[in-house]
């Protein structure tokens, strides 16, 4: 039962002024004000579905709470409801890349390079701690002035046909069946969709990052999803056609994304190799401009004029 505060009853005494943003198979997301901290937050209520998944999910969230990095949107609070197998976590309120793309359709090339540099750095950090992301998509990338922050890390994915997918407590690096929710499909690597393939989570996160890059440069989510689902025999042809699908994007940037999107994980770079390539790529743009990610209002206030300057500088 949802209250007039637009929140489940068990969270009513913890938040106020709630607005539901999204409801999916595993979770519901709200904007609200934390009563204890007196600040606006993002609230994510997660359904563990089975008792055995609840403890695994709770432990993972507590571990994630200790993961501190400038490019990780920090968990502010964790609330648990063992009786109903529910966990709620809060993040500081921020603007998602999805919101920006829904408004603008795409972002500037140099903006994408800045964003990817920060995302690759935080993924290298997290993977060294043994924590892959498993759910990289524009909805989980947040922009705060000059900083990009990643949120909503998944502990593991299992695949099954049930309408209410389960979180699996299996070790991350083992082959297993995988649960995939509808919202994730557009940004998943082919090996995650193939339940018989062992996963290299670093390469899988890289593939998802490549898909986010295509979306950020102007492809629709439908086009991104279709690329992930292209049969293997046509896949290379689709990758080679990216220049035609993204005619405004610099060729070297498209080629960089193409390396992340190789069907065979062994052909993709490591996270560190991708970051080094991106540093070289950034140097190929005009050195007279230095563009940083701005807050949502400032982004729109100056983007058209600045975008024209950048496009002129790189010869568009």
């Amino acid at each position: 039962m949802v209250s007039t505060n637009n929140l489940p009853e068990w969270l009513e005494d913890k938040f106020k002024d709630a607005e539901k943003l999204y409801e999916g198979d595993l979770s519901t997301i709200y904007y609200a004000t934390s009563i204890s901290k007196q600040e606006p937050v993002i609230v994510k209520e997660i359904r563990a579905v089975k008792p055995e998944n609840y403890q695994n999910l709770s432990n993972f969230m507590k571990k994630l709470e200790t993961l501190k990095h400038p490019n990780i949107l920090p968990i502010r609070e964790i609330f648990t409801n063992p009786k109903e197998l529910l966990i709620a976590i809060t993040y500081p309120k921020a603007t998602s890349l999805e919101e920006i793309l829904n408004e603008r359709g795409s972002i500037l090339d140099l903006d994408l390079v800045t964003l990817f540099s920060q995302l690759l750095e935080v993924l290298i950090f997290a993977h060294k701690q043994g924590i892959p992301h498993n759910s990289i998509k524009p909805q989980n990338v947040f922009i705060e002035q000059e900083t990009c922050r990643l949120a909503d890390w998944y502990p593991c994915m299992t695949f099954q046909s049930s309408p209410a997918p389960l979180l699996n407590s299996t070790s991350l690096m083992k082959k297993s069946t995988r649960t995939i929710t509808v919202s994730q499909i557009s940004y998943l690597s082919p090996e995650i969709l193939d339940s018989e393939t062992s996963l290299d989570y670093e390469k899988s996160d890289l593939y998802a990052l490549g898909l986010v890059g295509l979306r950020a440069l102007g492809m629709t989510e439908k086009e991104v999803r279709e690329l992930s689902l292209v049969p293997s025999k046509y896949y290379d042809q689709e990758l080679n056609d990216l220049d035609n699908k993204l005619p405004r994007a610099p060729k070297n940037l498209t080629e960089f994304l193409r390396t992340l999107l190789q069907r065979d994980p062994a052909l993709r770079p490591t996270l560190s190799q991708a970051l080094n390539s991106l540093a070289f790529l950034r140097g190929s743009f005009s050195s007279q401009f230095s563009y940083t990610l701005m807050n949502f209002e400032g982004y729109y206030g100056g983007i058209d004029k600045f975008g024209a300057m950048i496009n002129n500088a790189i010869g568009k």
Side-chain angles (χ1 to χ4, degrees):
M1 174 180 177
V2 177
S3 72
T4 55
N5 191 36
N6 207 18
L7 279 171
E9 288 183 343
W10 77 284
L11 294 175
E12 277 190 331
D13 62 339
K14 300 172 177 63
F15 304 98
K16 63 181 181 180
D17 304 326
E19 174 191 356
K20 184 186 292 186
L21 300 179
Y22 167 82
E23 184 164 11
D25 294 324
L26 289 176
S27 63
T28 305
I29 299 175
Y30 308 86
Y31 272 155
T33 298
S34 169
I35 293 174
S36 64
K37 295 186 178 296
Q38 288 297 303
E39 65 178 2
V41 294
I42 300 166
V43 184
K44 181 172 184 178
E45 183 192 47
I46 307 168
R47 296 176 282 281
V49 184
K50 283 189 173 183
E52 58 267 33
N53 297 323
Y54 175 84
Q55 191 59 51
N56 175 58
L57 181 59
S58 179
N59 292 340
F60 178 81
M61 291 303 168
K62 289 174 183 175
K63 181 178 181 182
L64 187 57
E65 191 177 21
T66 68
L67 198 63
K68 305 297 182 184
H69 189 279
N71 300 113
I72 293 177
L73 199 65
I75 293 177
R76 283 282 195 258
E77 299 172 285
I78 298 177
F79 304 100
T80 59
N81 182 344
K83 184 177 179 180
E84 298 182 46
L85 304 181
L86 297 172
I87 293 174
I89 57 176
T90 70
Y91 300 107
K93 188 172 180 179
T95 300
S96 72
L97 178 61
E98 179 74 3
E99 291 174 89
I100 293 174
L101 294 176
N102 286 342
E103 177 73 20
R104 296 292 305 184
S106 63
I107 63 176
L108 299 174
D109 308 326
L110 287 181
D111 219 353
L112 180 64
V113 173
T114 300
L115 184 149
F116 265 41
S117 296
Q118 295 187 26
L119 290 178
L120 284 166
E121 287 177 0
V122 71
L123 286 171
I124 290 170
F125 169 79
H127 277 266
K128 286 181 178 178
Q129 314 303 313
I131 302 180
H133 191 280
N134 291 327
S135 189
I136 297 172
K137 53 188 177 181
Q139 298 95 318
N140 292 336
V141 177
F142 291 85
I143 310 300
E144 289 186 305
Q145 297 187 18
E146 299 182 1
T147 303
C148 162
R149 294 175 183 260
L150 197 53
D152 210 8
W153 305 60
Y154 257 62
C156 188
M157 285 184 283
T158 60
F159 186 82
Q160 57 163 34
S161 58
S162 129
L166 311 181
L167 292 171
N168 194 310
S169 58
T170 310
S171 168
L172 284 171
M173 298 311 293
K174 291 183 179 178
K175 184 190 297 184
S176 65
T177 58
R178 297 166 196 140
T179 295
I180 298 172
T181 66
V182 173
S183 66
Q184 293 172 316
I185 288 177
S186 297
Y187 299 96
L188 291 180
S189 65
E191 60 269 23
I192 284 185
L193 295 170
D194 180 3
S195 61
E196 297 302 315
T197 304
S198 295
L199 297 182
D200 179 333
Y201 279 83
E202 179 176 341
K203 299 297 184 70
S204 183
D205 275 353
L206 263 177
Y207 187 93
L209 197 59
L211 293 177
V212 169
L214 298 183
R215 175 73 181 90
L217 288 177
M219 286 179 64
T220 66
E221 186 158 317
K222 181 176 182 289
E223 290 172 326
V224 171
R225 179 169 60 251
E226 288 173 347
L227 177 63
S228 298
L229 301 176
V230 167
S232 297
K233 62 180 179 179
Y234 302 118
Y235 188 78
D236 287 345
Q237 178 182 336
E238 288 294 317
L239 276 191
N240 291 333
D241 198 40
L242 287 180
D243 292 327
N244 294 324
K245 292 183 177 180
L246 298 169
R248 288 177 54 96
K251 303 302 182 190
N252 51 4
L253 184 54
T254 307
E255 182 58 34
F256 170 75
L257 294 179
R258 195 177 283 119
T259 65
L260 307 188
L261 292 168
Q262 292 298 307
R263 189 82 173 206
D264 182 354
L267 298 179
R268 296 173 211 155
T270 64
L271 289 168
S272 295
Q273 289 169 340
L275 183 60
N276 289 337
S277 297
L278 197 62
F280 178 79
L281 178 64
R282 186 168 192 160
S284 70
F285 289 106
S286 173
S287 60
Q288 60 183 303
F289 296 111
S290 176
Y291 189 72
T292 55
L293 295 167
M294 301 178 182
N295 61 40
F296 200 40
E297 292 78 15
Y299 190 95
Y300 295 133
I303 192 170
D304 292 326
K305 180 179 179 181
F306 192 87
M309 293 168 61
I310 290 293
N311 289 336
N312 289 336
I314 60 178
K316 286 190 176 180

